[in-house]
Amino acid sequence: MNTFFAKNWFKLAIGAVLIAMIASFAYKLWFTNGVQDERLKAMKQAPSFQLQDLDGKTVSSKEMDGKVRLVYFFYSFCPDVCMPTSFLLSQVQDSLKQKGLLGTKAEIVSITVDPKRDTPEVLKEFGSRFESKPVPGGWTFLRGDEAKTHKLAEEFGIMVIKEKNGDFSHSNAILLVDSKGMLRNYYDAGNPELDADYIVKDVVTLSKGK
């Protein structure tokens, strides 16, 4: 037995390396085509809505079909999470612009949960901090009746609670909706490892009809 290994150790070593490489490739293939696809698997039909844009025009979710959407429930008076998350969305916006997808195959939708304070004028000023060069149909800010907006957030899976001081506690998540209106993913915006590239990669994948 020792003589066999002595004579064939090089062939055995090469064989072991090849087996390890094949196993590694198989794992990566399973991970990218299995787990990743599972992560972006359609969850449910996203709830439909009709809200007003900052010019008072009624905007229907149906009008957005054909584009991948990133939906974010926020309010401009938010003392903590909304500003950094909106900044993250601005980075996503810039990347989608560079790829020629923003406004054509992808859209960002920010819906206020505080329409009484978030007037069109307030939201225009808020949006101007992030939209250096607005793209038509690229990043849309929407508002509507407070109770209906909170119900819509709940239907999306977002918790909204009005506090005694007039502020709101809410789930800080970005929702990914595909071009057919199917909810595909929730991004925990509080995750420090979440970055624009990670989100953009998913948007690009879905913009190809996957």
Side-chain angles (χ1 to χ4, degrees):
M1 184 64 71
N2 291 338
T3 302
F4 173 80
F5 279 108
K7 291 182 178 180
N8 297 278
W9 69 269
F10 183 75
K11 292 180 181 179
L12 291 171
I14 293 297
V17 171
L18 288 174
I19 291 173
M21 290 175 63
I22 291 170
S24 175
F25 175 78
Y27 172 78
K28 290 179 180 178
L29 186 65
W30 171 82
F31 182 81
T32 55
N33 292 325
V35 173
Q36 184 174 350
D37 287 349
E38 186 69 21
R39 183 174 59 79
L40 292 178
K41 184 178 180 180
M43 299 177 181
K44 64 177 183 179
Q45 185 72 38
S48 59
F49 60 79
Q50 285 189 331
L51 297 168
Q52 286 72 49
D53 66 13
L54 302 189
D55 294 320
K57 177 186 175 183
T58 298
V59 176
S60 167
S61 54
K62 196 67 179 175
E63 298 173 23
M64 299 177 184
D65 284 350
K67 290 192 287 187
V68 179
R69 284 146 275 175
L70 291 168
V71 181
Y72 181 52
F73 288 89
F74 83 111
Y75 67 110
S76 70
F77 290 85
C78 177
D80 39 48
V81 297
C82 296
M83 185 66 75
T85 303
S86 294
F87 176 70
L88 172 62
L89 288 172
S90 74
Q91 294 177 311
V92 172
Q93 169 192 235
D94 292 342
S95 180
L96 292 175
K97 278 183 184 178
Q98 293 174 2
K99 296 179 184 299
L101 296 176
L102 190 69
T104 56
K105 292 189 175 183
E107 182 170 3
I108 300 171
V109 183
S110 290
I111 302 173
T112 179
V113 298
D114 187 13
K116 292 182 180 178
R117 290 187 293 180
D118 279 341
T119 63
E121 292 71 28
V122 168
L123 290 181
K124 284 180 181 179
E125 193 280 329
F126 182 84
S128 68
R129 305 178 197 179
F130 305 103
E131 296 182 288
S132 55
K133 294 182 179 179
V135 173
W139 191 344
T140 304
F141 288 85
L142 299 176
R143 56 193 302 278
D145 176 80
E146 183 178 298
K148 291 182 179 179
T149 301
H150 290 190
K151 185 175 185 298
L152 175 64
E154 182 181 336
E155 291 173 347
F156 264 105
I158 299 298
M159 175 203 72
V160 181
I161 299 174
K162 189 169 186 177
E163 306 292 351
K164 292 182 179 180
N165 65 357
D167 285 342
F168 297 85
S169 296
H170 62 94
S171 307
N172 193 39
I174 300 169
L175 312 169
L176 178 65
V177 180
D178 69 18
S179 60
K180 296 180 181 179
M182 297 299 295
L183 187 61
R184 292 295 196 103
N185 204 3
Y186 290 81
Y187 300 104
D188 176 7
N191 182 353
E193 296 184 1
L194 179 66
D195 61 18
D197 290 340
Y198 186 85
I199 297 173
V200 169
K201 183 179 179 181
D202 288 346
V203 173
V204 171
T205 296
L206 294 185
S207 71
K208 296 176 182 178
K210 296 185 178 181

